[in-house]
Amino acid sequence: MSSPANLDLHDIPLHKLYEILLPVTTSKTAFANWAKTFVCTPLAIFEPRNEYHCEVILELARREGKVVRVAGVGHSPSDLACTNEFMLRTTYLNRVLMIDKEKRRVLAQGGITLHHLHAALAQHNLAMINLGSISDQTLAGIVTTASHGTGIDYGVMSTQVISMVILLADGSRVYCSRNEQPDLFLATVCGLGSTGLILSIELEVEPSFHLKEVLESRCFKDTLSNLKQLVHSAEHTRMFWFPATDMVCVSMLNRTHETKRPGGSWFYDSFMGFHIVQLLLFLGIYLHIFNTLAVFLASWLVSAGSSRVDDSYRVFNVDCRYLQHTTEWAIPYENTEPCLRELDKYFHEILVDPRERPHFPIEIRFSAPDDIWLSPSHNQQTCWIGIVQYKPYGFNIPYKKLFEGFENILSKFEGRPHWAKAHKVGPEEFRDLYPHFEDFLQVLQTVDPKGLFRNEYMQRHFFGQPVDGRVFKPRK
């Protein structure tokens, strides 16, 4: 008698499918994102060890009429990864499949974290071209959300993708690239995991390099007056803005052949910059003055100009420090200066309200235009502006009013929300923001007509269904 692995999945009885998946069904009953701001209780959480397990999970979902949500480490500060039906965690789909040093390419499974990918590439003297603030996410996670680093001549990280292999809702496998199945490729490379399960990603990389970071403090007015020059003064320019002190820390990153000198200080970076600041933020929940002290201390700690040289990923990445609420939007680069001026006015109005506790810094980054259908940088040079409200020691802090005012201003300047972060934008607005939005929906209808990968986030933001944006918020 044939073993289940040798049978066509359609011929395996339903109870046998459950038996096959029993070893990869976790005992966990809940899933929470990294910041603990969204929590869900799926019917089952699977952690497949191989592609056959993935095929079985999709077969089971088709028969049971359930949605499958693919989730990596859950770093998205939204309910993007959440579902109350089936969840497929890519924890063990994390291998490097091929590295071609000569062609500067790597082929890896979608579940590999960037930390592990850096280590594998370093063994071959290779590195990723550009990176965001952290490397905790999975490769598929950063690709499908068009996550980004900074650099006015560098695209979002999705632009580094050469090809992908996808397991579609019907169980078929498809190879796609810009030359083969280009519509599926352009829909998937920033598709929020809704076109199918990404089994592997081929990525363009470059020879490993050191980055030199030079920090420079400027007042807000001077920064705006010299914005264009600052943005183009380095390969990768990012800014950390502290409205309460009227100070902007400009971080300029360039490739260099200098030897490593990581810099840093335990006393200033860890003791003062992490522990004391967190204590002040916690006390600031109850007394406004401590929140003010926290921002002045944090601003002072980065006010002295400094520089460091280290491996590229160590300089690209920054310490996100504490659990947090966050939102980030992308605006056309030409709108940067007027948008920042209006935000400055808004934050100074907020700062005089003793009931508000705005945190810091506001992170400002830049990216080049691309042709990816749902990339926030589609067809435009882009300025990304993000704000945070920390959760000191895990304690919640008000953020809704602050974020609402911020989002209203960014919307006014043609803002597009970061896909991985919580927002309230729906399909009608997206039709105006993205010329290929209908093309994307048409691809979804072709590859997943029954909505196998259509979780609550997709139902709400892409199909306008009445799914409450707070359905996965933790209950007090």
Side-chain angles (χ1 to χ4, degrees):
M1 183 175 179
S2 298
S3 66
N6 296 324
L7 292 174
D8 188 295
L9 289 176
H10 301 292
D11 297 328
I12 300 176
L14 183 62
H15 73 277
K16 284 291 185 183
L17 295 178
Y18 278 104
E19 289 179 13
I20 294 169
L21 294 175
L22 189 59
V24 299
T25 305
T26 74
S27 58
K28 300 172 184 175
T29 58
F31 166 87
N33 69 335
W34 171 77
K36 306 294 188 292
T37 51
F38 292 90
V39 178
C40 63
T41 53
L43 294 174
I45 301 177
F46 303 106
E47 292 187 331
R49 267 55 171 185
N50 52 51
E51 293 179 5
Y52 175 70
H53 287 150
C54 296
E55 294 171 359
V56 176
I57 293 167
L58 297 196
E59 175 66 21
L60 178 64
R62 286 192 296 270
R63 293 209 209 165
E64 295 282 42
K66 302 300 180 187
V67 165
V68 176
R69 192 52 175 166
V70 181
V73 296
H75 215 285
S76 294
S78 69
D79 62 346
L80 176 61
C82 291
T83 184
N84 282 329
E85 299 192 28
F86 287 170
M87 177 172 285
L88 188 159
R89 302 293 303 273
T90 59
T91 312
Y92 299 101
L93 305 175
N94 61 353
R95 294 184 297 121
V96 172
L97 304 174
M98 179 275 295
I99 293 179
D100 190 326
K101 185 175 181 179
E102 183 178 339
K103 293 184 178 179
R104 300 179 183 178
R105 296 181 177 186
V106 59
L107 181 67
Q109 291 182 304
I112 192 170
T113 65
L114 297 191
H115 281 305
H116 287 106
L117 184 57
H118 299 328
L121 290 173
Q123 294 176 7
H124 297 266
N125 294 316
L126 295 169
M128 292 184 67
I129 296 169
N130 198 5
L131 280 173
S133 297
I134 58 174
S135 290
D136 303 290
Q137 320 100 309
T138 62
L139 180 58
I142 61 112
V143 165
T144 58
T145 56
S147 293
H148 63 98
T150 193
I152 196 65
D153 296 318
Y154 289 80
V156 299
M157 287 185 279
S158 305
T159 61
Q160 301 165 27
V161 176
I162 298 169
S163 68
M164 293 175 286
V165 175
I166 307 167
L167 184 63
L168 298 182
D170 64 3
S172 61
R173 295 169 188 240
V174 178
Y175 171 91
C176 64
S177 67
R178 290 184 177 276
N179 298 318
E180 297 185 41
Q181 301 265 11
D183 283 1
L184 179 59
F185 178 82
L186 290 172
T188 303
V189 80
C190 177
L192 312 183
S194 62
T195 60
L197 168 59
I198 299 176
L199 297 176
S200 63
I201 298 171
E202 184 182 13
L203 199 69
E204 180 185 3
V205 292
E206 67 173 276
S208 57
F209 57 97
H210 290 168
L211 276 177
K212 181 177 183 178
E213 178 183 39
V214 177
L215 297 177
E216 187 178 284
S217 294
R218 291 173 172 260
C219 71
F220 177 74
K221 182 179 179 181
D222 180 62
T223 302
L224 284 196
S225 298
N226 296 279
L227 184 66
K228 184 175 180 180
Q229 182 266 324
L230 289 170
V231 170
H232 289 87
S233 65
E235 293 174 291
H236 308 274
T237 299
R238 59 193 177 193
M239 301 175 181
F240 303 97
W241 175 27
F242 298 80
T245 63
D246 197 41
M247 193 273 284
V248 179
C249 176
V250 182
S251 167
M252 294 163 284
L253 285 59
N254 286 295
R255 286 157 178 75
T256 182
H257 295 293
E258 294 182 33
T259 56
K260 291 197 292 187
R261 44 182 181 83
S265 159
W266 174 85
F267 179 77
Y268 289 108
D269 297 338
S270 181
F271 179 70
M272 297 290 288
F274 183 91
H275 295 291
I276 298 301
V277 168
Q278 181 170 214
L279 176 61
L280 291 173
L281 289 172
F282 172 71
L283 296 174
I285 296 174
Y286 306 101
L287 288 174
H288 188 273
I289 185 63
F290 288 108
N291 203 70
T292 304
L293 290 173
V295 66
F296 273 85
L297 175 59
S299 176
W300 174 77
L301 287 170
V302 297
S303 62
S306 63
S307 67
R308 59 173 172 148
V309 177
D310 210 334
D311 296 319
S312 55
Y313 66 91
R314 298 182 191 277
V315 180
F316 279 133
N317 288 169
V318 297
D319 186 354
C320 287
R321 299 186 181 274
Y322 324 114
L323 299 181
Q324 59 195 245
H325 299 282
T326 181
T327 186
E328 183 179 30
W329 287 57
I331 60 172
Y333 174 65
E334 60 268 21
N335 292 344
T336 303
E337 185 177 339
C339 182
L340 290 177
R341 289 191 188 281
E342 188 151 339
L343 282 173
D344 184 54
K345 179 182 177 183
Y346 170 67
F347 283 118
H348 278 86
E349 290 172 354
I350 288 287
L351 285 165
V352 298
D353 187 341
R355 296 168 297 178
E356 296 300 320
R357 305 287 192 274
H359 288 171
F360 48 81
I362 296 163
E363 189 173 19
I364 305 167
R365 292 177 284 176
F366 308 91
S367 63
D370 60 59
D371 63 347
I372 297 169
W373 286 356
L374 294 189
S375 165
S377 284
H378 179 80
N379 278 353
Q380 65 181 30
Q381 279 190 318
T382 300
C383 173
W384 300 78
I385 306 174
I387 61 172
V388 297
Q389 283 292 90
Y390 294 120
K391 299 169 61 180
Y393 306 117
F395 284 81
N396 245 323
I397 195 163
Y399 69 95
K400 294 178 197 173
K401 180 182 176 182
L402 175 69
F403 281 20
E404 183 177 358
F406 171 85
E407 291 166 355
N408 288 340
I409 293 172
L410 272 290
S411 295
K412 176 181 174 181
F413 289 96
E414 303 174 68
R416 297 166 171 171
H418 191 307
W419 288 114
K421 299 178 181 179
H423 61 86
K424 298 177 182 177
V425 184
E428 293 309 313
E429 296 97 324
F430 284 137
R431 284 184 175 89
D432 294 331
L433 291 170
Y434 291 100
H436 288 283
F437 187 74
E438 287 297 336
D439 296 322
F440 177 80
L441 294 183
Q442 184 57 52
V443 169
L444 288 192
Q445 183 59 32
T446 301
V447 298
D448 187 14
K450 296 183 179 179
L452 185 79
F453 294 106
R454 199 175 299 169
N455 76 329
E456 289 83 347
Y457 178 102
M458 293 299 299
Q459 292 169 19
R460 179 195 314 126
H461 294 294
F462 282 74
F463 297 93
Q465 296 182 15
V467 179
D468 189 347
R470 300 184 60 79
V471 64
F472 295 119
K473 278 291 186 181
R475 298 291 183 262
K476 293 182 181 180

PDB file of all heavy atoms in Angstrom, residues 421-434:
ATOM      1  N   LYS A 421       2.589  48.351   8.472  1.00  0.00           N
ATOM      2  CA  LYS A 421       2.216  49.104   9.662  1.00  0.00           C
ATOM      3  C   LYS A 421       0.728  49.459   9.638  1.00  0.00           C
ATOM      4  O   LYS A 421       0.130  49.598   8.581  1.00  0.00           O
ATOM      5  CB  LYS A 421       3.103  50.349   9.778  1.00  0.00           C
ATOM      6  CG  LYS A 421       4.569  49.932   9.899  1.00  0.00           C
ATOM      7  CD  LYS A 421       5.552  51.065   9.969  1.00  0.00           C
ATOM      8  CE  LYS A 421       6.970  50.506  10.071  1.00  0.00           C
ATOM      9  NZ  LYS A 421       7.999  51.549  10.124  1.00  0.00           N
ATOM     10  N   ALA A 422       0.157  49.578  10.821  1.00  0.00           N
ATOM     11  CA  ALA A 422      -1.285  49.787  10.934  1.00  0.00           C
ATOM     12  C   ALA A 422      -1.704  51.102  10.281  1.00  0.00           C
ATOM     13  O   ALA A 422      -1.034  52.127  10.406  1.00  0.00           O
ATOM     14  CB  ALA A 422      -1.690  49.767  12.407  1.00  0.00           C
ATOM     15  N   HIS A 423      -2.829  51.075   9.580  1.00  0.00           N
ATOM     16  CA  HIS A 423      -3.370  52.259   8.926  1.00  0.00           C
ATOM     17  C   HIS A 423      -4.867  52.040   8.707  1.00  0.00           C
ATOM     18  O   HIS A 423      -5.398  50.959   8.988  1.00  0.00           O
ATOM     19  CB  HIS A 423      -2.658  52.512   7.591  1.00  0.00           C
ATOM     20  CG  HIS A 423      -2.816  51.385   6.606  1.00  0.00           C
ATOM     21  ND1 HIS A 423      -3.891  51.268   5.752  1.00  0.00           N
ATOM     22  CD2 HIS A 423      -2.027  50.299   6.350  1.00  0.00           C
ATOM     23  CE1 HIS A 423      -3.772  50.179   5.020  1.00  0.00           C
ATOM     24  NE2 HIS A 423      -2.649  49.570   5.365  1.00  0.00           N
ATOM     25  N   LYS A 424      -5.545  53.059   8.195  1.00  0.00           N
ATOM     26  CA  LYS A 424      -6.990  52.969   7.989  1.00  0.00           C
ATOM     27  C   LYS A 424      -7.389  53.150   6.524  1.00  0.00           C
ATOM     28  O   LYS A 424      -8.551  53.373   6.213  1.00  0.00           O
ATOM     29  CB  LYS A 424      -7.701  54.022   8.844  1.00  0.00           C
ATOM     30  CG  LYS A 424      -7.495  53.837  10.344  1.00  0.00           C
ATOM     31  CD  LYS A 424      -8.164  54.941  11.137  1.00  0.00           C
ATOM     32  CE  LYS A 424      -7.917  54.763  12.629  1.00  0.00           C
ATOM     33  NZ  LYS A 424      -8.509  55.877  13.427  1.00  0.00           N
ATOM     34  N   VAL A 425      -6.425  53.044   5.630  1.00  0.00           N
ATOM     35  CA  VAL A 425      -6.688  53.284   4.209  1.00  0.00           C
ATOM     36  C   VAL A 425      -7.384  52.073   3.597  1.00  0.00           C
ATOM     37  O   VAL A 425      -7.025  50.923   3.876  1.00  0.00           O
ATOM     38  CB  VAL A 425      -5.382  53.591   3.455  1.00  0.00           C
ATOM     39  CG1 VAL A 425      -5.671  53.929   1.991  1.00  0.00           C
ATOM     40  CG2 VAL A 425      -4.645  54.743   4.134  1.00  0.00           C
ATOM     41  N   GLY A 426      -8.390  52.333   2.755  1.00  0.00           N
ATOM     42  CA  GLY A 426      -9.168  51.265   2.136  1.00  0.00           C
ATOM     43  C   GLY A 426      -9.013  51.232   0.627  1.00  0.00           C
ATOM     44  O   GLY A 426      -8.256  52.014   0.039  1.00  0.00           O
ATOM     45  N   PRO A 427      -9.729  50.330  -0.030  1.00  0.00           N
ATOM     46  CA  PRO A 427      -9.548  50.123  -1.475  1.00  0.00           C
ATOM     47  C   PRO A 427      -9.825  51.350  -2.332  1.00  0.00           C
ATOM     48  O   PRO A 427      -9.166  51.546  -3.352  1.00  0.00           O
ATOM     49  CB  PRO A 427     -10.528  48.986  -1.793  1.00  0.00           C
ATOM     50  CG  PRO A 427     -11.487  48.931  -0.656  1.00  0.00           C
ATOM     51  CD  PRO A 427     -10.713  49.386   0.532  1.00  0.00           C
ATOM     52  N   GLU A 428     -10.799  52.177  -1.966  1.00  0.00           N
ATOM     53  CA  GLU A 428     -11.093  53.341  -2.793  1.00  0.00           C
ATOM     54  C   GLU A 428      -9.915  54.307  -2.823  1.00  0.00           C
ATOM     55  O   GLU A 428      -9.554  54.851  -3.879  1.00  0.00           O
ATOM     56  CB  GLU A 428     -12.359  54.046  -2.289  1.00  0.00           C
ATOM     57  CG  GLU A 428     -13.623  53.231  -2.466  1.00  0.00           C
ATOM     58  CD  GLU A 428     -13.773  52.711  -3.896  1.00  0.00           C
ATOM     59  OE1 GLU A 428     -13.589  53.506  -4.841  1.00  0.00           O
ATOM     60  OE2 GLU A 428     -14.061  51.513  -4.070  1.00  0.00           O
ATOM     61  N   GLU A 429      -9.295  54.536  -1.656  1.00  0.00           N
ATOM     62  CA  GLU A 429      -8.122  55.407  -1.621  1.00  0.00           C
ATOM     63  C   GLU A 429      -6.944  54.769  -2.363  1.00  0.00           C
ATOM     64  O   GLU A 429      -6.197  55.462  -3.061  1.00  0.00           O
ATOM     65  CB  GLU A 429      -7.715  55.708  -0.172  1.00  0.00           C
ATOM     66  CG  GLU A 429      -8.748  56.493   0.625  1.00  0.00           C
ATOM     67  CD  GLU A 429      -9.630  55.598   1.484  1.00  0.00           C
ATOM     68  OE1 GLU A 429      -9.962  54.476   1.047  1.00  0.00           O
ATOM     69  OE2 GLU A 429      -9.990  56.033   2.588  1.00  0.00           O
ATOM     70  N   PHE A 430      -6.787  53.448  -2.204  1.00  0.00           N
ATOM     71  CA  PHE A 430      -5.668  52.786  -2.876  1.00  0.00           C
ATOM     72  C   PHE A 430      -5.799  52.854  -4.396  1.00  0.00           C
ATOM     73  O   PHE A 430      -4.798  52.892  -5.112  1.00  0.00           O
ATOM     74  CB  PHE A 430      -5.547  51.335  -2.418  1.00  0.00           C
ATOM     75  CG  PHE A 430      -4.935  51.183  -1.050  1.00  0.00           C
ATOM     76  CD1 PHE A 430      -5.464  50.285  -0.130  1.00  0.00           C
ATOM     77  CD2 PHE A 430      -3.827  51.924  -0.686  1.00  0.00           C
ATOM     78  CE1 PHE A 430      -4.899  50.140   1.128  1.00  0.00           C
ATOM     79  CE2 PHE A 430      -3.253  51.797   0.574  1.00  0.00           C
ATOM     80  CZ  PHE A 430      -3.793  50.907   1.485  1.00  0.00           C
ATOM     81  N   ARG A 431      -7.017  52.864  -4.893  1.00  0.00           N
ATOM     82  CA  ARG A 431      -7.198  53.000  -6.349  1.00  0.00           C
ATOM     83  C   ARG A 431      -6.640  54.336  -6.846  1.00  0.00           C
ATOM     84  O   ARG A 431      -6.125  54.425  -7.962  1.00  0.00           O
ATOM     85  CB  ARG A 431      -8.682  52.859  -6.705  1.00  0.00           C
ATOM     86  CG  ARG A 431      -9.192  51.433  -6.658  1.00  0.00           C
ATOM     87  CD  ARG A 431     -10.641  51.320  -7.100  1.00  0.00           C
ATOM     88  NE  ARG A 431     -11.030  49.914  -7.143  1.00  0.00           N
ATOM     89  CZ  ARG A 431     -11.532  49.249  -6.114  1.00  0.00           C
ATOM     90  NH1 ARG A 431     -11.711  49.883  -4.958  1.00  0.00           N
ATOM     91  NH2 ARG A 431     -11.843  47.976  -6.223  1.00  0.00           N
ATOM     92  N   ASP A 432      -6.749  55.362  -6.029  1.00  0.00           N
ATOM     93  CA  ASP A 432      -6.208  56.667  -6.403  1.00  0.00           C
ATOM     94  C   ASP A 432      -4.685  56.726  -6.214  1.00  0.00           C
ATOM     95  O   ASP A 432      -3.992  57.403  -6.970  1.00  0.00           O
ATOM     96  CB  ASP A 432      -6.865  57.774  -5.574  1.00  0.00           C
ATOM     97  CG  ASP A 432      -8.353  57.938  -5.876  1.00  0.00           C
ATOM     98  OD1 ASP A 432      -8.754  57.635  -7.020  1.00  0.00           O
ATOM     99  OD2 ASP A 432      -9.089  58.353  -4.971  1.00  0.00           O
ATOM    100  N   LEU A 433      -4.196  56.006  -5.207  1.00  0.00           N
ATOM    101  CA  LEU A 433      -2.772  56.079  -4.881  1.00  0.00           C
ATOM    102  C   LEU A 433      -1.908  55.192  -5.775  1.00  0.00           C
ATOM    103  O   LEU A 433      -0.735  55.503  -6.014  1.00  0.00           O
ATOM    104  CB  LEU A 433      -2.556  55.680  -3.415  1.00  0.00           C
ATOM    105  CG  LEU A 433      -3.082  56.650  -2.353  1.00  0.00           C
ATOM    106  CD1 LEU A 433      -3.016  56.019  -0.973  1.00  0.00           C
ATOM    107  CD2 LEU A 433      -2.289  57.956  -2.387  1.00  0.00           C
ATOM    108  N   TYR A 434      -2.481  54.077  -6.254  1.00  0.00           N
ATOM    109  CA  TYR A 434      -1.705  53.099  -7.011  1.00  0.00           C
ATOM    110  C   TYR A 434      -2.341  52.846  -8.376  1.00  0.00           C
ATOM    111  O   TYR A 434      -3.415  52.248  -8.463  1.00  0.00           O
ATOM    112  CB  TYR A 434      -1.606  51.778  -6.234  1.00  0.00           C
ATOM    113  CG  TYR A 434      -0.757  51.883  -4.995  1.00  0.00           C
ATOM    114  CD1 TYR A 434      -1.333  52.040  -3.733  1.00  0.00           C
ATOM    115  CD2 TYR A 434       0.637  51.826  -5.082  1.00  0.00           C
ATOM    116  CE1 TYR A 434      -0.543  52.142  -2.589  1.00  0.00           C
ATOM    117  CE2 TYR A 434       1.427  51.923  -3.939  1.00  0.00           C
ATOM    118  CZ  TYR A 434       0.831  52.085  -2.708  1.00  0.00           C
ATOM    119  OH  TYR A 434       1.619  52.192  -1.577  1.00  0.00           O
TER     120      TYR A 434
END
